[in-house]
Amino acid sequence: MNTPTTDSLTALQALLGGLRTIELGQPLENGMPCSPSHPGFRMALLRRHGDRVNAQGGSGANELIVTGGHVGTHLDALCHAAIDGRMFGGVDAHAASVGGAFTVHGVDTVRPFLCRGVLADIPKLLGVPRLEPGFGITADHLRAAFGDTVPGADEVALIRTGWPQLYHDPTAYVGHETGVPGITAEAAEYLADTGVRAVCSDTIATDQILPGVGHAALPAHGVLLVERGVHIMEVLTFEELAAAGVREVLYVAVPLRITGATGSPIRPLALIPREAADVR
């Protein structure tokens, strides 16, 4: 006779078997787009097969990886931003960072994400393949894109701009000279008011980036991270999800437990029913 635990696991396996997994993250590789404010990603093999072989003919290979916490698909911890020297909750940013790691709001304090995610497909809303450089996504855009399916407390908002179509060109994707589409401060306030735990975007900064301004001003970061305590996840891709015509997903993402860090790489996944139809 099966125990309740065995029955539960069997039911969970059956449920997962009926789901399709969609990758929402970008690959970590040398030469990928990176914000000018952060160190880039580097990986190199330190030992190759054949460099050292044991008596049984076995060998091992390994690598050295160097990266910042905000490179590639990643999560921003609340200690990533401050205004007038204060982080979320009024915490003194300098005092919390003495010793080389944050004692408050570090990425190691962030719980894994296993929740509903709701897609706001702004290009679909506007009838374009991707948003124009420097386009500002307003609260009205988000309301229209969400419709009756609005993310709520402890859920995540997925904001599609179509910008991953330029990911192969790091200069275009970072968009310092041209600008990058993103949310305005007003849109960030609206998202925070829904109660979401995180805002996930497919650009390198989430904020609207104006041509020639770059990352010098990120008001949505201030609203979300500092004023409202909402995490930000960046450099995702929603192209496959949009092509599937699905707006609601089971969202999974786990940051690394790096003590006192301001951010962490993540590998976000969207789980959707296998029979989900393309309803675009």
Side-chain angles (χ1 to χ4, degrees), residues 13 17 31 36-37 78 105 112 115-116 154 156-157 165 169 174 177 181 203 221 235 244 256 260 277:
Q13 288 174 326
S37 305
L78 298 184
H105 298 326
C115 59
R116 186 176 76 136
D154 289 326
V156 297
Q165 296 166 23
D169 183 340
V174 173
E177 297 300 326
T203 66
H221 271 64
V235 197
L256 301 177

mmCIF file of all heavy atoms in Angstrom, residues 13 17 31 36-37 78 105 112 115-116 154 156-157 165 169 174 177 181 203 221 235 244 256 260 277:
data_model
loop_
_atom_site.group_PDB
_atom_site.id
_atom_site.type_symbol
_atom_site.label_atom_id
_atom_site.label_comp_id
_atom_site.label_asym_id
_atom_site.label_seq_id
_atom_site.Cartn_x
_atom_site.Cartn_y
_atom_site.Cartn_z
ATOM 1 N N GLN A 13 4.933 13.629 -10.295
ATOM 2 C CA GLN A 13 5.618 13.152 -11.502
ATOM 3 C C GLN A 13 4.671 13.153 -12.699
ATOM 4 O O GLN A 13 5.049 13.520 -13.810
ATOM 5 C CB GLN A 13 6.183 11.754 -11.265
ATOM 6 C CG GLN A 13 7.392 11.733 -10.337
ATOM 7 C CD GLN A 13 7.841 10.321 -10.018
ATOM 8 O OE1 GLN A 13 7.027 9.410 -9.913
ATOM 9 N NE2 GLN A 13 9.150 10.136 -9.870
ATOM 10 N N GLY A 17 5.072 15.454 -16.010
ATOM 11 C CA GLY A 17 5.142 14.783 -17.307
ATOM 12 C C GLY A 17 4.244 15.419 -18.348
ATOM 13 O O GLY A 17 4.465 15.256 -19.555
ATOM 14 N N GLY A 31 32.165 36.715 -24.830
ATOM 15 C CA GLY A 31 31.757 37.670 -25.856
ATOM 16 C C GLY A 31 30.298 38.063 -25.827
ATOM 17 O O GLY A 31 29.853 38.858 -26.655
ATOM 18 N N PRO A 36 28.194 48.014 -19.529
ATOM 19 C CA PRO A 36 29.505 48.628 -19.304
ATOM 20 C C PRO A 36 29.793 48.879 -17.826
ATOM 21 O O PRO A 36 30.936 49.140 -17.451
ATOM 22 C CB PRO A 36 29.414 49.937 -20.087
ATOM 23 C CG PRO A 36 27.945 50.209 -20.221
ATOM 24 C CD PRO A 36 27.293 48.878 -20.307
ATOM 25 N N SER A 37 28.773 48.774 -16.974
ATOM 26 C CA SER A 37 28.954 48.990 -15.541
ATOM 27 C C SER A 37 29.464 47.747 -14.807
ATOM 28 O O SER A 37 29.761 47.824 -13.612
ATOM 29 C CB SER A 37 27.621 49.420 -14.907
ATOM 30 O OG SER A 37 27.081 50.552 -15.555
ATOM 31 N N LEU A 78 18.161 43.152 -3.398
ATOM 32 C CA LEU A 78 17.740 44.489 -2.982
ATOM 33 C C LEU A 78 18.912 45.382 -2.610
ATOM 34 O O LEU A 78 18.799 46.611 -2.652
ATOM 35 C CB LEU A 78 16.763 44.386 -1.799
ATOM 36 C CG LEU A 78 15.452 43.636 -2.078
ATOM 37 C CD1 LEU A 78 14.546 43.700 -0.855
ATOM 38 C CD2 LEU A 78 14.747 44.190 -3.309
ATOM 39 N N HIS A 105 20.036 42.250 2.937
ATOM 40 C CA HIS A 105 19.472 42.211 1.578
ATOM 41 C C HIS A 105 20.373 41.526 0.552
ATOM 42 O O HIS A 105 20.238 41.761 -0.650
ATOM 43 C CB HIS A 105 19.138 43.623 1.065
ATOM 44 C CG HIS A 105 18.113 44.353 1.868
ATOM 45 N ND1 HIS A 105 17.061 43.716 2.479
ATOM 46 C CD2 HIS A 105 17.974 45.688 2.139
ATOM 47 C CE1 HIS A 105 16.311 44.626 3.099
ATOM 48 N NE2 HIS A 105 16.830 45.814 2.924
ATOM 49 N N PRO A 112 13.974 30.849 -3.471
ATOM 50 C CA PRO A 112 13.739 30.392 -4.841
ATOM 51 C C PRO A 112 12.360 30.824 -5.329
ATOM 52 O O PRO A 112 11.431 31.011 -4.538
ATOM 53 C CB PRO A 112 13.827 28.865 -4.724
ATOM 54 C CG PRO A 112 14.668 28.623 -3.519
ATOM 55 C CD PRO A 112 14.335 29.722 -2.568
ATOM 56 N N CYS A 115 6.434 29.948 -8.828
ATOM 57 C CA CYS A 115 5.207 30.718 -8.728
ATOM 58 C C CYS A 115 4.618 30.957 -10.124
ATOM 59 O O CYS A 115 5.211 30.566 -11.141
ATOM 60 C CB CYS A 115 5.491 32.073 -8.070
ATOM 61 S SG CYS A 115 6.710 33.086 -8.975
ATOM 62 N N ARG A 116 3.477 31.606 -10.158
ATOM 63 C CA ARG A 116 2.891 31.982 -11.438
ATOM 64 C C ARG A 116 3.638 33.173 -12.021
ATOM 65 O O ARG A 116 3.993 34.113 -11.306
ATOM 66 C CB ARG A 116 1.412 32.342 -11.273
ATOM 67 C CG ARG A 116 0.706 32.601 -12.611
ATOM 68 C CD ARG A 116 -0.782 32.865 -12.426
ATOM 69 N NE ARG A 116 -1.030 34.205 -11.926
ATOM 70 C CZ ARG A 116 -1.986 35.017 -12.407
ATOM 71 N NH1 ARG A 116 -2.766 34.631 -13.393
ATOM 72 N NH2 ARG A 116 -2.159 36.214 -11.879
ATOM 73 N N ASP A 154 3.342 37.836 -4.655
ATOM 74 C CA ASP A 154 4.351 36.781 -4.685
ATOM 75 C C ASP A 154 4.477 36.113 -6.053
ATOM 76 O O ASP A 154 5.056 35.030 -6.164
ATOM 77 C CB ASP A 154 4.082 35.719 -3.612
ATOM 78 C CG ASP A 154 4.346 36.245 -2.210
ATOM 79 O OD1 ASP A 154 5.269 37.065 -2.071
ATOM 80 O OD2 ASP A 154 3.628 35.861 -1.279
ATOM 81 N N VAL A 156 5.362 36.823 -10.474
ATOM 82 C CA VAL A 156 6.329 37.596 -11.238
ATOM 83 C C VAL A 156 5.697 38.108 -12.530
ATOM 84 O O VAL A 156 4.844 37.437 -13.120
ATOM 85 C CB VAL A 156 7.604 36.784 -11.569
ATOM 86 C CG1 VAL A 156 8.328 36.391 -10.298
ATOM 87 C CG2 VAL A 156 7.292 35.561 -12.407
ATOM 88 N N ALA A 157 6.121 39.290 -12.921
ATOM 89 C CA ALA A 157 5.700 39.882 -14.183
ATOM 90 C C ALA A 157 6.807 39.692 -15.205
ATOM 91 O O ALA A 157 7.986 39.966 -14.926
ATOM 92 C CB ALA A 157 5.409 41.372 -14.006
ATOM 93 N N GLN A 165 16.039 39.629 -29.990
ATOM 94 C CA GLN A 165 16.299 39.472 -31.427
ATOM 95 C C GLN A 165 17.630 40.107 -31.818
ATOM 96 O O GLN A 165 18.190 39.790 -32.876
ATOM 97 C CB GLN A 165 15.156 40.086 -32.226
ATOM 98 C CG GLN A 165 13.809 39.398 -32.009
ATOM 99 C CD GLN A 165 12.637 40.212 -32.519
ATOM 100 O OE1 GLN A 165 12.785 41.076 -33.397
ATOM 101 N NE2 GLN A 165 11.445 39.967 -31.977
ATOM 102 N N ASP A 169 24.214 40.692 -31.426
ATOM 103 C CA ASP A 169 25.013 41.899 -31.650
ATOM 104 C C ASP A 169 25.127 42.643 -30.316
ATOM 105 O O ASP A 169 24.240 43.423 -29.960
ATOM 106 C CB ASP A 169 24.339 42.782 -32.698
ATOM 107 C CG ASP A 169 25.145 44.022 -33.051
ATOM 108 O OD1 ASP A 169 26.023 44.414 -32.249
ATOM 109 O OD2 ASP A 169 24.874 44.624 -34.112
ATOM 110 N N VAL A 174 23.112 46.174 -26.038
ATOM 111 C CA VAL A 174 23.379 47.097 -24.923
ATOM 112 C C VAL A 174 22.802 48.474 -25.245
ATOM 113 O O VAL A 174 22.259 49.152 -24.365
ATOM 114 C CB VAL A 174 24.880 47.169 -24.615
ATOM 115 C CG1 VAL A 174 25.190 48.238 -23.577
ATOM 116 C CG2 VAL A 174 25.386 45.809 -24.136
ATOM 117 N N GLU A 177 24.223 53.960 -27.610
ATOM 118 C CA GLU A 177 24.030 55.084 -28.532
ATOM 119 C C GLU A 177 22.591 55.188 -29.031
ATOM 120 O O GLU A 177 22.074 56.288 -29.247
ATOM 121 C CB GLU A 177 24.985 54.952 -29.727
ATOM 122 C CG GLU A 177 26.455 55.025 -29.366
ATOM 123 C CD GLU A 177 26.822 56.343 -28.695
ATOM 124 O OE1 GLU A 177 26.218 57.375 -29.047
ATOM 125 O OE2 GLU A 177 27.705 56.333 -27.821
ATOM 126 N N PRO A 181 14.482 49.816 -25.270
ATOM 127 C CA PRO A 181 13.147 49.918 -24.687
ATOM 128 C C PRO A 181 13.130 49.395 -23.249
ATOM 129 O O PRO A 181 13.927 48.531 -22.880
ATOM 130 C CB PRO A 181 12.294 49.034 -25.597
ATOM 131 C CG PRO A 181 13.257 48.059 -26.199
ATOM 132 C CD PRO A 181 14.544 48.806 -26.357
ATOM 133 N N THR A 203 15.691 42.739 -21.460
ATOM 134 C CA THR A 203 16.748 43.687 -21.809
ATOM 135 C C THR A 203 17.827 43.648 -20.738
ATOM 136 O O THR A 203 17.696 42.977 -19.721
ATOM 137 C CB THR A 203 16.194 45.118 -21.920
ATOM 138 O OG1 THR A 203 15.762 45.554 -20.621
ATOM 139 C CG2 THR A 203 15.029 45.174 -22.902
ATOM 140 N N HIS A 221 14.699 51.120 -11.395
ATOM 141 C CA HIS A 221 15.480 50.380 -10.399
ATOM 142 C C HIS A 221 15.258 50.975 -9.009
ATOM 143 O O HIS A 221 15.113 50.245 -8.021
ATOM 144 C CB HIS A 221 16.972 50.425 -10.744
ATOM 145 C CG HIS A 221 17.438 49.317 -11.631
ATOM 146 N ND1 HIS A 221 16.996 49.160 -12.915
ATOM 147 C CD2 HIS A 221 18.311 48.296 -11.404
ATOM 148 C CE1 HIS A 221 17.584 48.096 -13.461
ATOM 149 N NE2 HIS A 221 18.383 47.555 -12.564
ATOM 150 N N VAL A 235 17.939 40.228 -18.705
ATOM 151 C CA VAL A 235 18.552 39.456 -19.786
ATOM 152 C C VAL A 235 17.863 38.096 -19.951
ATOM 153 O O VAL A 235 18.500 37.084 -20.205
ATOM 154 C CB VAL A 235 20.082 39.292 -19.602
ATOM 155 C CG1 VAL A 235 20.745 38.860 -20.900
ATOM 156 C CG2 VAL A 235 20.730 40.593 -19.138
ATOM 157 N N ALA A 244 4.661 30.513 -28.468
ATOM 158 C CA ALA A 244 3.725 29.488 -28.023
ATOM 159 C C ALA A 244 2.343 30.061 -27.730
ATOM 160 O O ALA A 244 1.378 29.315 -27.559
ATOM 161 C CB ALA A 244 4.271 28.783 -26.789
ATOM 162 N N LEU A 256 21.978 31.774 -7.011
ATOM 163 C CA LEU A 256 23.019 31.111 -6.224
ATOM 164 C C LEU A 256 23.101 31.748 -4.838
ATOM 165 O O LEU A 256 22.844 32.945 -4.676
ATOM 166 C CB LEU A 256 24.365 31.233 -6.928
ATOM 167 C CG LEU A 256 24.454 30.644 -8.339
ATOM 168 C CD1 LEU A 256 25.830 30.918 -8.943
ATOM 169 C CD2 LEU A 256 24.163 29.152 -8.319
ATOM 170 N N GLY A 260 26.143 37.706 0.788
ATOM 171 C CA GLY A 260 26.344 39.147 0.740
ATOM 172 C C GLY A 260 26.494 39.741 -0.640
ATOM 173 O O GLY A 260 26.893 40.902 -0.769
ATOM 174 N N ALA A 277 -2.072 25.498 -26.975
ATOM 175 C CA ALA A 277 -2.184 25.878 -28.378
ATOM 176 C C ALA A 277 -1.601 27.251 -28.609
ATOM 177 O O ALA A 277 -1.504 28.080 -27.710
ATOM 178 C CB ALA A 277 -3.658 25.858 -28.816
#
